[in-house]
Amino acid sequence: MNLFRIIRREISHSRGTFLMGVSAVIISVLSYIISLSILTSSKSSFLNGMQIMQADLKKEISGLEDAIRKSMKGLGFNIHIYPEKQDLSVIYEQGYGEQTMPENYVEKLANSNIVTVNHLLPRLTEMVKWKEKDQSVLLIGVRGEVPIAFRGENRKKALIDPVKVGDIVLGYELHKKYGIKPGETIKFMGKELNVTATHSGRGTVDDITAWMALSTVQELLGKPDLINGILALECNCESLDRLGDIKKEIGQILPNTRIIEKESKALARAEARNKVKRTGQTQIQNFALSQKQLIVNQSITTTLFVLIVSALSIGWIAYLTFSNVAARSVEIGILGAMGFGGTKLVLLIISRATLMGITGTLCALVISLIAVPLAWGREVFVAVFLDMSNVFILMCVPTLLACSAAWIPAIKGSSKDPAEVLRNE
Amino acid sequence: MSDNNSEFTLRAQGITKTYSAKSGAINVLEDIDLELSKGDFVTISGPSGCGKSTLLMVLGTLQEPDSGTLKYGDITPYGLSPSGRAEFRSKNIGFVFQDFNLVPYLDVRENIMCPGIVNPSADLEPRSSELLEMLGLTDRSNHYPDQLSSGEKQRAALARALLLRPSIIFADEPTGNLDQSNGRVVLDCLANYAEDGATVIMATHDSAALSSGNKHVQFNEGKGITVKSE
Ligand SMILES: Nc1ncnc2c1ncn2[C@@H]1O[C@H](COP(=O)(O)OP(=O)(O)OP(=O)(O)O)[C@@H](O)[C@H]1O
Ligand SMILES: [Mg+2]
């Protein structure tokens, strides 16, 4: 005969109230686990949403950057290098200069250690008469991009494709007006040329421009190995201050040239790109903020829910324990009369509540071990049950609550004189 | 009787107990003086409601009196803490309640062995068998209280009080529900127990029981008591 036997006997004697207490604990633990799982699952879907949004933004921005980079060649952006003697008023007047400089200037630049410029495009430009059609044409001879030597494989992708010898590319007005299609062969200033591309309308001088290989234009204009400008494109135009540095650097390599900065539409584009990026990020931040607010609201609701359910469960357990103690007052009186001290009597009553807590918790755990992965997936399950603090709360709190609910009635029941307990029964 | 029990003289002086009820205070015990010693078999008699059970409870350290002192040798039980008093009870006192007070969810043997939880010893099992045998309950040992007759409950309650061989036994109407022969068994059992050196205090209406004692406490009409020794 020992105390544990009495506890066992008593529990099996009053199975009903014991099971009611166990179910109170099960309900309170389950509601905790369920709330936790809901929170964890909404947090993880929030994080997934954030990741997808961020990836989308990144893709969009890099697409935008690519588009900007490609369109820059059409913007006449950045730096024009002209011979030193070139009168700038002529440039502003007709868009190109009459002064020329050796074509190998561009090689000089390309073979230097120039860092501020990414693309070098030598060109020979002149307004000519297309004798065959009696049409003014801005003739531009291009050589394609001159690779900057020291960068090797790391150099930037070429912005424009060179026009091959024997080919011609026509602006909008030139092909539209004469019904010329790509693939046709035309005669231009006595030369048979193959039309490889035609541009759509841009509303600029580009529309009456014809592009040819530099060497062909040099030949047509009688200016062998000469060019009248180098277009130097700087793509990473993030700060205006860098233009000064570009001028300085080029001036050191090619002293007898002059450099002018054309209007920087690309800067505006870069600005626009940054703006898109910022807007996107703000949107993501707003999304994050609203989601966080949602999660906070949700956790307040679930916390309240858990608190209410727990309070009800504690009340329930306390009520059951109180009524149990009342029902057990005879036993408490008898055992007290036989010499059971207060500690033993308290232990007797508390153990019942403790067993209630432990049994209820274990049942709830078994139920949730099966139910949580089914309802919310493995990820949530692992997140909820790998968190040691959760496991700790799940293991200890319900039992402690059950115990403390039993504490007061236990003390009350065991502190009276046995005769009084027996008589009050 | 356990050897660790000192040889008590039970001395009560000026014991007063009043119950407060809605209809007013009921003075049950008024200035009771009593002195009992080892080997006494004391009977307490008086009309119903005169305070026999109350006196047993007070003397048995189960109910603190309003005033007066109670001494077991040098020990003043009501000067001890409730736990200290419980321990004192477990070592020295056996109590048979008028309404038995068996633990409902323990069977007869478990009920009898219950006091052993507080004072465990090896011979409790044979001791309980001996008591079951002696009080004619052997074939009832696995029955629960609600399966027993009143007489069986009464004997089980007596067996439980005797389990640890306390030096003093309080028995409240232990023969109240017994036929003559069973009553005889119980009275002989208590008389032998007293002869062996314990003190037995028994409240009873039963004339046969009254004649078993060697000391008689009679409640008077006017609340006092008269003590007669043979
Ligand atoms: N808790 C209580 N509150 C009020 N009155 C009580 C209480 N307990 C007992 N009494 C009263 O005290 C008186 C003495 O009761 P007690 O049980 O000691 O009598 P008794 O002599 O044992 O009676 P009986 O022979 O019927 O067992 C009775 O009148 C009873 O009604
Ligand atoms: Mg009585």
Side-chain angles (χ1 to χ4, degrees):
Chain A
M1 202 56 193
N2 55 34
L3 205 62
F4 186 67
R5 177 123 165 223
I6 295 198
I7 292 166
R8 250 177 36 218
R9 291 298 205 159
E10 195 278 326
I11 287 174
S12 72
H13 178 74
S14 58
R15 252 172 266 129
T17 49
F18 185 79
L19 289 180
M20 282 205 281
V22 169
S23 38
V25 176
I26 292 179
I27 289 169
S28 117
V29 173
L30 272 186
S31 69
Y32 176 73
I33 294 177
I34 288 171
S35 315
L36 209 65
S37 303
I38 291 173
L39 270 187
T40 309
S41 122
S42 66
K43 262 184 207 152
S44 90
S45 72
F46 159 69
L47 287 179
N48 285 343
M50 283 292 283
Q51 262 163 12
I52 291 168
M53 277 189 91
Q54 244 142 8
D56 282 355
L57 180 72
K58 216 168 155 187
K59 223 158 87 188
E60 208 166 302
I61 286 175
S62 80
L64 205 64
E65 276 174 338
D66 211 39
I68 288 171
R69 207 174 53 80
K70 283 198 176 129
S71 70
M72 273 199 308
K73 68 170 189 215
L75 291 172
F77 159 68
N78 274 3
I79 306 263
H80 281 268
I81 304 169
Y82 294 111
E84 199 178 19
K85 281 175 287 176
Q86 180 62 54
D87 182 356
L88 288 186
S89 60
V90 176
I91 303 268
Y92 291 127
E93 216 172 280
Q94 61 185 26
Y96 63 94
E98 79 292 352
Q99 297 289 331
T100 57
M101 55 191 169
E103 189 186 335
N104 70 7
Y105 271 26
V106 76
E107 262 81 35
K108 259 196 202 167
L109 268 185
N111 294 330
S112 70
N113 286 334
I114 192 159
V115 293
T116 49
V117 163
N118 285 320
H119 307 279
L120 292 171
L121 300 161
R123 60 210 304 183
L124 183 59
T125 310
E126 200 172 317
M127 188 65 86
V128 296
K129 205 64 167 184
W130 184 359
K131 286 177 300 189
E132 287 84 349
K133 306 274 187 206
D134 191 26
Q135 164 76 47
S136 286
V137 170
L138 185 69
L139 184 58
I140 301 181
V142 291
R143 211 182 96 178
E145 196 166 332
V146 180
I148 293 172
F150 81 94
R151 295 206 184 150
E153 290 301 311
N154 293 330
R155 66 173 167 258
K156 297 270 169 138
K157 244 165 44 191
L159 287 178
I160 52 168
D161 302 319
V163 182
K164 287 203 222 76
V165 175
D167 289 349
I168 187 167
V169 173
L170 295 174
Y172 180 71
E173 199 55 32
L174 299 183
H175 68 82
K176 183 81 202 299
K177 195 163 164 189
Y178 304 109
I180 301 166
K181 298 262 154 14
E184 285 179 26
T185 303
I186 57 166
K187 239 185 161 104
F188 193 94
M189 295 173 79
K191 269 199 177 300
E192 294 264 342
L193 294 165
N194 188 25
V195 180
T196 53
T198 54
H199 288 315
S200 46
R202 289 172 182 170
T204 66
V205 74
D206 277 1
D207 290 351
I208 56 156
T209 301
W211 289 268
M212 290 181 205
L214 181 61
S215 57
T216 313
V217 175
Q218 283 168 337
E219 189 192 325
L220 281 174
L221 300 179
K223 291 176 177 170
D225 300 327
L226 291 177
I227 53 176
N228 61 356
I230 300 171
L231 193 54
L233 298 182
E234 204 286 321
C235 279
N236 314 317
C237 48
E238 268 151 15
S239 84
L240 283 167
D241 307 340
R242 291 188 63 179
L243 290 163
D245 300 337
I246 299 171
K247 281 184 183 174
K248 213 165 104 196
E249 196 179 20
I250 294 175
Q252 276 165 0
I253 302 162
L254 299 173
N256 39 359
T257 55
R258 64 185 313 165
I259 290 149
I260 62 165
E261 177 209 337
K262 293 270 282 193
E263 56 177 335
S264 294
K265 285 182 191 159
L267 267 180
R269 282 289 180 95
E271 191 47 44
R273 178 196 60 192
N274 287 339
K275 211 165 170 180
V276 168
K277 201 170 178 173
R278 276 199 300 273
T279 311
Q281 266 157 358
T282 314
Q283 265 167 5
I284 290 183
Q285 268 163 15
N286 287 344
F287 170 73
L289 228 65
S290 66
Q291 287 289 301
K292 266 181 199 149
Q293 191 56 48
L294 209 71
I295 289 176
V296 167
N297 288 343
Q298 217 169 20
S299 55
I300 290 172
T301 319
T302 43
T303 308
L304 267 176
F305 173 70
V306 170
L307 282 180
I308 291 169
V309 172
S310 305
L312 287 177
S313 308
I314 294 170
W316 192 358
I317 293 167
Y319 167 74
L320 290 173
T321 309
F322 259 116
S323 51
N324 178 253
V325 171
R328 292 172 77 182
S329 62
V330 183
E331 165 204 349
I332 289 169
I334 300 166
L335 296 176
M338 285 188 306
F340 281 62
T343 324
K344 277 207 169 63
L345 291 177
V346 170
L347 202 70
L348 206 66
I349 294 166
I350 291 284
S351 335
R352 181 187 149 94
T354 309
L355 280 175
M356 236 174 193
I358 292 173
T359 315
T361 307
L362 287 180
C363 290
L365 280 181
V366 169
I367 294 172
S368 52
L369 285 182
I370 298 164
V372 171
L374 282 179
W376 289 279
R378 266 190 60 80
E379 207 178 305
V380 169
F381 171 77
V382 169
V384 169
F385 284 94
L386 272 192
D387 187 340
M388 286 321 284
S389 61
N390 285 341
V391 175
F392 180 78
I393 288 174
L394 288 177
M395 296 312 285
C396 297
V397 172
T399 306
L400 284 178
L401 287 180
C403 253
S404 44
W407 188 258
I408 294 167
I411 294 288
K412 223 173 132 182
S414 69
S415 63
K416 288 189 200 156
D417 257 337
E420 223 165 299
V421 179
L422 284 170
R423 197 174 307 107
N424 286 347
E425 175 267 320
Chain B
M1 271 74 349
S2 8
D3 304 329
N4 59 343
N5 298 330
S6 47
E7 301 193 358
F8 291 122
T9 313
L10 185 158
R11 191 177 292 120
Q13 266 183 324
I15 298 286
T16 305
K17 179 71 197 172
T18 303
Y19 291 118
S20 48
K22 281 190 191 115
S23 50
I26 305 167
N27 302 320
V28 182
L29 305 177
E30 271 175 37
D31 201 18
I32 303 275
D33 294 333
L34 195 61
E35 200 171 311
L36 305 172
S37 42
K38 204 165 152 338
D40 277 345
F41 186 174
V42 187
T43 61
I44 300 178
S45 60
S48 178
C50 65
K52 302 182 290 294
S53 296
T54 306
L55 181 61
L56 287 188
M57 297 270 201
V58 171
L59 297 180
T61 75
L62 296 175
Q63 166 105 70
E64 195 164 359
D66 298 331
S67 61
T69 53
L70 176 72
K71 283 202 150 212
Y72 281 76
D74 300 333
I75 301 167
T76 313
Y78 292 112
L80 301 172
S81 69
S83 296
R85 204 151 66 233
E87 192 187 341
F88 173 82
R89 262 197 309 275
S90 77
K91 292 208 169 108
N92 301 292
I93 294 176
F95 211 104
V96 184
F97 292 94
Q98 186 168 8
D99 41 12
F100 331 123
N101 282 335
L102 297 173
V103 179
Y105 51 81
L106 299 179
D107 65 25
V108 170
R109 184 187 284 277
E110 287 167 337
N111 259 294
I112 292 172
M113 288 180 71
C114 215
I117 294 171
V118 190
N119 281 313
S121 79
D123 77 330
L124 291 182
E125 194 82 40
R127 171 71 176 156
S128 64
S129 302
E130 177 195 326
L131 289 168
L132 284 166
E133 174 73 43
M134 187 168 80
L135 292 164
L137 289 170
T138 308
D139 56 347
R140 288 275 175 268
S141 65
N142 292 324
H143 289 211
Y144 288 89
D146 58 4
Q147 299 169 315
L148 301 178
S149 72
S150 301
E152 286 163 338
K153 285 184 206 170
Q154 206 153 36
R155 281 177 278 151
L158 177 61
R160 182 177 64 187
L162 291 169
L163 181 82
L164 297 176
R165 299 182 178 87
S167 55
I168 181 159
I169 290 265
F170 293 91
D172 199 348
E173 313 263 6
T175 56
N177 294 289
L178 299 180
D179 58 32
Q180 218 171 12
S181 70
N182 271 312
R184 197 68 255 162
V185 172
V186 167
L187 288 174
D188 287 348
C189 174
L190 289 172
N192 291 337
Y193 200 65
E195 254 161 47
D196 286 350
T199 308
V200 174
I201 303 165
M202 173 175 69
T204 185
H205 292 294
D206 185 358
S207 53
L210 280 171
S211 61
S212 311
N214 64 349
K215 212 174 218 179
H216 304 285
V217 174
Q218 170 74 47
F219 270 84
N220 305 324
E221 296 292 315
K223 295 296 169 196
I225 55 166
T226 317
V227 182
K228 277 186 254 168
S229 298
E230 277 172 12

